[in-house]
Every structure is written in C-alpha cells, then in structure tokens.
Amino acid sequence: MATSSAPGKVYLFGEHAVVYGEPAVPCAIERRATVTVEKRADERLRVRAQDLSLEGFTVEYDGSTAGTPEVDVTEDLVEAAMGYVDEAIAQARDAADAPNAGFDVHVESSIPLGAGLGSSAAVVVATIDAATRALGVELDREEIADRAYQVEHTVQDGQASRADTFCSTMGGAVLVEGDNCERIAAPDLPFVVGYDGGAGDTGALVSGVRSLRETYPFAADTVESIGDLVEQGIDALEAEDTTELGRLMNFNHGLLAALGVSSRSLDAMVWAARDAGAAGAKLTGAGGGGCIVALDETDATETALKYSPACAEAFRAELDTEGVCREQ
Ligand code: MEV
C-alpha cells in the first residue's frame, strides 16, 4: 500500500494570456489531494473518492479497465475526476510495466473541484506516484510531471497546459513560458482563497477571449499587457516585495475583467478582500465563477470573505514548497 499527496495551485499572474505564449506564474498552495493505492490480487480497479471541500460527498467507482464499467455517481465533477484516475492508473501501469495490475484507490481531496485550483492535476499527480510505488517503482519528479501532463492532455482532448501538473508535482512558484516550466524563487506568500461555490466553463471562456482578441485590437494589447505585467511580477517575487505583488495582482484582475472573464461574484470577492486590507486580489484560473486569490498576512481578508454574500467558502492556503509528498 502507498499513500501520496499533491497540492492544488492558484495563478498569481498570467492565466488566459499564457494561452498566447505570454509568461504566467502559477503557485502551489497548501491544499492537497491525498491518494492511497493498494494492489489487488485481480485486475480490477476500484476507486473511492471523498470530496472534503465545500459540500463533501463520497462516491465509489468500479473501474473500466477490467470488464464493463459500473459507474454510480451523482456528481458530474466527481465522475469527471474518475476519468483522470483511470488515465493516471494507465500511466502507472505503463511506467511499472505491469499492464494488468489491479488496484483499490482511495482519493481524498480538500481542493474544490473545477474551481480553478488544479484539483484534477493534484489527484493525477498523487495517483501516479502512489500507484507506481505500490508496484515497487519510484519515479523521479520530472517523469511524474510528464506522465501527469499526458493524463490531462488525454482527458482534456489535447487542450491541457503543463502548468497545473508541473506546479502540483514540484511545488513552489513556477514560471510557465510556452511548453517550458521552471520553479522560480519566491518568498512566503500569504494566500487567502475565496470560493463562490461555482465553476466557470474553461473552454467557453478561453474561446471568448480568442474571439475578442481577433475582433478588437484592444484585447490583443490587453493580452500582451498581462505578459508585461508578469515580467514585473517576477521581479517583485525576486525582491520579495509583497506590496508590489498585490498591486500587480489588482492590475491583472482589471485586465482579465476587460477580457470578459470575471463575474459579479468574483468581482464582489475581490473588492471584499481589498476593502479588508489585502495587498491585492484577483480571480484565479479561467474565471466566470470559482475562486479569487488575495494576499494578506492578517486574518482580515478571510473573515471579510466569510461575511461576503458572494463567497461560499474562504480559506488560507499559503505557498506550498514541497509538491508531491510520499506520506506512506
Ligand atoms: C485555466 O486554469 C487557465 C487558462 O489560462 C487556460 C489554460 O492555460 O489552459 C485560462
């Protein structure tokens, strides 16, 4: 039996513009998915998933790799997560040269699903690491990140970026430029996350930005401006200048709003955080709904968000520097 955990992430800067080759900085956060894998005597795959975030629920899934799938899930998002587990197990079987290995898999996650916090990447990374170890193979982090990316690429029909899986595997602040990802220096970042309880449609939001960019020169300039702002953000990270980081987050949110990817609830949470004294606040991920991220060393932002009608859940989730962890 092996247990691994892996963190979720927020975008400090650069979502959407990264689709057009601009740099972006996702950061791993201290909210994890934990996956326990036990090898079975037969070839079956049984998955039990527990969502420990907002409205926690448990589902069981009798995997598709041996015989007919018997899926009894009521939550679409959890059903989608099962697809990720299936593909992660396929990668583990391939890595360990054990195509017929069967497993019992138990997934526990405190990362809200589909809300821009990289929940699927965390589950995939932890599953690959735990399942390969259950088969007696220890992969290095580069291979885990690469195999986890292959999983997201397959499940998301070729649309995935390497950002989430790399960030979850390596931890820390990551600079993404095109297909290249590397860890960069960062101080402790006092992240506070506000979650509206919903989720945006990433595909539709990315297409919306594409058509805006093709129609209006201002939108193309806005995408470029986000890239310029990210370069300044990297300098602020190096200088450990939290005030400047917050200011740049505020600018980044404004530019994302100009691209049409914010929402009433995201804007309300951003303003609740700023009014509470956060150094800065912005939406994180595709937008349209889901999460905002703020920087605040005090408890004021978390408390203010909890009282904001737009916010379903608020929590502190500081920068994670460990990435994937072998728990057992
Ligand atoms: C979504 O988490 C981030 C986007 O930039 C899309 C992507 O990079 O694939 C909006």
Side-chain angles (χ1 to χ4, degrees), residues 6-232:
K9 66 101 194 37
V10 292
Y11 267 98
L12 184 59
F13 304 116
E15 56 274 88
H16 282 289
V18 72
V19 172
Y20 303 97
E22 300 292 346
V25 181
C27 292
I29 55 168
E30 286 177 342
R31 273 244 159 171
R32 291 185 161 256
T34 302
V35 180
T36 298
V37 178
E38 195 163 2
K39 194 171 170 325
R40 292 172 61 98
D42 60 22
E43 297 182 8
R44 298 190 77 82
L45 170 62
R46 287 185 66 89
V47 184
R48 188 162 178 273
Q50 235 173 322
D51 171 28
L52 306 176
S53 66
L54 192 57
E55 283 165 8
F57 44 80
T58 303
V59 295
E60 293 198 20
Y61 167 68
D62 200 342
S64 60
T65 39
T68 317
E70 298 161 29
V71 186
D72 177 20
V73 285
T74 46
E75 279 288 339
D76 290 353
L77 286 169
V78 176
E79 189 171 348
M82 294 303 182
Y84 287 98
V85 174
D86 254 4
E87 285 298 326
I89 289 293
Q91 284 289 337
R93 286 173 171 144
D94 181 64
D97 202 13
N100 300 320
F103 299 99
D104 286 324
V105 178
H106 184 202
V107 180
E108 284 178 298
S109 178
S110 57
I111 309 165
L113 288 169
L117 298 183
S119 55
S120 59
V123 168
V124 168
V125 167
T127 303
I128 291 175
D129 190 55
T132 46
R133 288 193 301 115
L135 293 170
V137 173
E138 294 214 351
L139 301 182
D140 61 30
R141 283 175 190 257
E142 280 67 27
E143 184 166 356
I144 296 168
D146 192 53
R147 287 187 177 273
Y149 166 67
Q150 301 303 334
V151 171
E152 292 225 312
H153 193 264
T154 304
V155 178
Q156 296 171 14
D157 295 328
Q159 301 285 339
S161 93
R162 289 184 181 269
D164 288 18
T165 41
F166 185 91
C167 203
S168 185
T169 308
M170 305 296 175
V174 168
L175 172 59
V176 182
E177 278 180 298
D179 264 355
N180 194 47
C181 298
E182 62 178 291
R183 254 190 86 151
I184 55 173
D188 290 343
L189 293 169
F191 290 129
V192 180
V193 174
Y195 173 37
D196 69 4
D201 178 340
T202 302
L205 289 152
V206 169
S207 305
V209 171
R210 173 163 297 119
S211 67
L212 207 62
R213 193 170 163 270
E214 282 163 5
T215 314
Y216 298 101
F218 95 83
D221 293 347
T222 302
V223 166
E224 259 184 57
S225 300
I226 292 175
D228 295 344
L229 177 155
V230 176
E231 302 288 357
Q232 285 180 269

